[in-house]
Amino acid sequence: SHIILSSPCSCFGPFPLFRIFSYQLVQWKSPFAALPDRCAGIEFDAITPDEQGNTFFFKGGHLWKGFHGPAQPSNEIFKKLHDIHPLGHVDAAFRMHNAENPDDHDHIYFFVDDKVVRFYDQSLEDGYPKEMTEEFPGVPTHLDAAVECPKTECMTNTVLFFKGQDVYFYDLATKTVKTKTWSHLPQCTSAFRWLEHYYCFHGHNFTRFHPVSGEVTGNYPKDARNYFMKCPNFGHGGDRTVPKCSEVKLDAISTDDTGKTYFFAGSTYMRLDTSRDGLHGFPITRSWKELTNGVDAVFSYIDKIYLMKDDKVYIYKADAHYTLIEGYPKSLKEELGIEGHVDAAFLCPNEHTVHIIQGGRMRDVDLTATPRAITNDVPLPPHLSDIDAGLCGPDGVKVFKGSQFYLYESPKILATGRIIVEPQKITSAMMGCQD
């Protein structure tokens, strides 16, 4: 309910005192009123992760932390946020991505009317609130939504601001603004970047879009309750549970030059380097649409990722979104000079030789040679005759076999060492499974 007072008042029965001046509209709620329920179908005001990867959903003066759990007053976590607006409402919010400027990177910005505030570690930073025109010149006030876009996905570190059907691209380096009208998108009341994908929330639905073109691919809108929160009678995964670590079996694992680490199992893949924002499995066809039956082995080289299945190799350019290079797939024989099923493949950082495991043998291929051919062919120790996947990094070579892995100092020691290394167990910290 709403109360309009035409003169100052300092009494409200047993409730805390308020001083409300002429014609100020105040929304009064009983302290015993029920908390909002996002499973009832709510249009969020803002969605943003924090520097720890916790995602917050905002509505009015309340928020939800994470993808399940009840609402709570937003100023219990972001203290002083309600000082900016008497009802605690925010128009938009985002987590800054600007690694070149550590003073800004990973800080949360909240927008309220024509003001902006900045939080870090859930604390309001000195000097805020500020005028929007001071902090983000050229961006309109009273926004609908905002979302960050790193330069790996938007060419430059950018923030997308939404107002109506207009999108304002704010370049963090040059502080310039470009405007586009995306009339094909619903009007976004909040926007969210999650695991390198971009979502426009409207009503209790969402639409995934490309951050540069605004293109929408797939069947949208979708109900947010099926994907971004745990609600009774909702969910796109049915009763699917997180596997136990003792049940994990990889098909492939690889890290590219930008630090993105993927593991593949069956028809799904998971990004491991984004664990701060949550581990989640996606269909392989979501990023590599031609791989409809999973993969046998994967490795990354320079700015490309090689995915092998049966007797074929698919090579994708590793931009923000993977693009199959023209002319592929090709046969393993034509591309790498090998034949037969591949169990695992790995390439060590800053090297040009890919190590390919086939049965009980490891075969090396020089990727700088033309044509490519096997340069070294050695037998593996008997306990490594059935490897599922391999990964080479700063800590050495990991070869995975079922729910365990073996760690070796180098590919040479892996192939020629005669001391049997004790296997280690895959853990939840590595793969997001249940210990």
Side-chain angles (χ1 to χ4, degrees):
S1 59
H2 295 80
I3 301 172
I4 299 179
L5 299 178
S6 58
S7 60
C9 176
S10 60
C11 57
F12 247 99
F15 301 113
L17 301 180
F18 293 84
R19 186 165 181 83
I20 309 169
F21 291 95
S22 300
Y23 301 106
Q24 183 177 2
L25 182 65
V26 175
Q27 185 177 24
W28 177 83
K29 292 185 178 180
S30 163
F32 308 107
L35 293 173
D37 179 11
R38 58 179 163 181
C39 290
I42 278 181
E43 184 172 79
F44 296 111
D45 297 327
I47 305 172
T48 183
D50 68 3
E51 71 281 355
Q52 302 297 327
N54 301 305
T55 300
F56 294 93
F57 299 78
F58 293 83
K59 180 64 177 180
H62 291 85
L63 62 75
W64 292 262
K65 181 180 179 180
F67 301 107
H68 56 87
Q72 63 187 103
S74 50
N75 65 345
E76 287 185 359
I77 293 182
F78 297 98
K79 301 187 186 306
K80 298 185 179 181
L81 183 59
H82 286 199
D83 294 351
I84 314 303
H85 191 286
L87 304 182
H89 167 81
V90 297
D91 295 329
F94 74 92
R95 180 181 68 188
M96 176 66 77
H97 187 100
N98 191 13
E100 288 83 357
N101 189 343
D103 292 336
D104 291 341
H105 186 60
D106 273 352
H107 294 233
I108 299 178
Y109 288 75
F110 292 100
F111 300 86
V112 183
D113 298 335
D114 57 354
K115 301 289 192 297
V116 57
V117 295
R118 194 170 82 173
F119 279 75
Y120 188 77
D121 194 23
Q122 301 177 0
S123 297
L124 179 66
E125 297 188 48
D126 293 340
Y128 290 88
K130 292 183 179 180
E131 298 289 333
M132 282 260 318
T133 53
E134 176 185 355
E135 192 81 348
F136 296 97
V139 176
T141 60
H142 300 81
L143 294 166
D144 292 325
V147 66
E148 72 282 4
C149 187
K151 62 183 179 182
T152 53
E153 297 157 33
C154 274
M155 304 308 291
T156 63
N157 288 328
T158 303
V159 182
L160 278 62
F161 294 98
F162 296 78
K163 185 168 184 177
Q165 302 298 141
D166 293 331
V167 184
Y168 299 81
F169 293 77
Y170 185 85
D171 188 313
L172 293 171
T174 63
K175 299 186 183 301
T176 56
V177 179
K178 294 181 180 179
T179 307
K180 297 181 182 180
T181 300
W182 286 349
S183 55
H184 63 284
L185 267 186
Q187 185 168 332
C188 308
T189 60
S190 56
F192 183 36
R193 173 183 177 264
W194 189 59
L195 303 182
E196 297 184 341
H197 292 287
Y198 292 77
Y199 302 90
C200 162
F201 284 76
H202 44 95
H204 57 77
N205 295 320
F206 70 91
T207 297
R208 184 160 65 94
F209 65 94
H210 190 284
V212 176
S213 65
E215 180 184 4
V216 175
T217 56
N219 185 24
Y220 291 94
K222 295 180 179 178
D223 195 315
R225 292 170 290 185
N226 285 322
Y227 295 85
F228 288 95
M229 59 203 78
K230 190 174 182 179
C231 296
N233 303 317
F234 288 92
H236 68 291
D239 296 325
R240 179 169 51 89
T241 58
V242 177
K244 294 180 180 179
C245 293
S246 60
E247 300 170 349
V248 169
K249 187 179 187 302
L250 303 183
D251 290 327
I253 185 168
S254 182
T255 299
D256 68 16
D257 290 343
T258 65
K260 298 175 184 176
T261 300
Y262 301 90
F263 82 71
F264 300 79
S267 61
T268 64
Y269 78 92
M270 186 180 289
R271 279 278 302 279
L272 298 182
D273 55 291
T274 56
S275 58
R276 179 181 69 167
D277 293 332
L279 292 169
H280 190 83
F282 294 102
I284 291 174
T285 52
R286 180 173 183 158
S287 293
W288 302 278
K289 63 182 180 180
E290 291 80 11
L291 274 299
T292 56
N293 294 307
V295 299
D296 295 330
V298 176
F299 69 90
S300 298
Y301 179 59
I302 306 181
D303 60 346
K304 301 178 182 67
I305 186 167
Y306 293 62
L307 297 98
M308 287 168 270
K309 180 64 179 177
D310 299 328
D311 62 345
K312 297 285 195 299
V313 58
Y314 300 73
I315 303 181
Y316 291 81
K317 188 170 178 57
D319 290 328
H321 301 278
Y322 289 99
T323 305
L324 184 67
I325 293 177
E326 187 177 354
Y328 287 86
K330 292 183 179 179
S331 70
L332 289 170
K333 177 69 174 175
E334 181 182 3
E335 183 65 29
L336 298 172
I338 60 173
E339 294 181 272
H341 176 78
V342 175
D343 295 311
F346 59 88
L347 188 77
C348 294
N350 303 314
E351 293 192 3
H352 303 281
T353 297
V354 60
H355 306 279
I356 296 172
I357 296 176
Q358 295 180 288
R361 305 193 70 85
M362 185 170 76
R363 298 178 167 104
D364 297 346
V365 175
D366 182 355
L367 296 176
T368 63
T370 303
R372 291 169 175 170
I374 296 171
T375 57
N376 195 31
D377 186 344
V378 296
L380 293 173
H383 67 287
L384 298 180
S385 62
D386 191 21
I387 293 300
D388 297 323
L391 180 68
C392 186
D395 57 344
V397 179
K398 295 186 182 79
V399 286
F400 295 84
K401 186 174 182 178
S403 61
Q404 299 178 322
F405 68 94
Y406 299 84
L407 178 61
Y408 293 88
E409 187 176 333
S410 68
K412 182 177 181 180
I413 293 175
L414 162 66
T416 62
R418 292 295 172 254
I419 298 176
I420 297 179
V421 174
E422 287 295 319
Q424 301 179 47
K425 293 181 179 179
I426 291 174
T427 65
S428 59
M430 294 172 63
M431 304 290 177
C433 48
Q434 296 185 66
D435 286 325

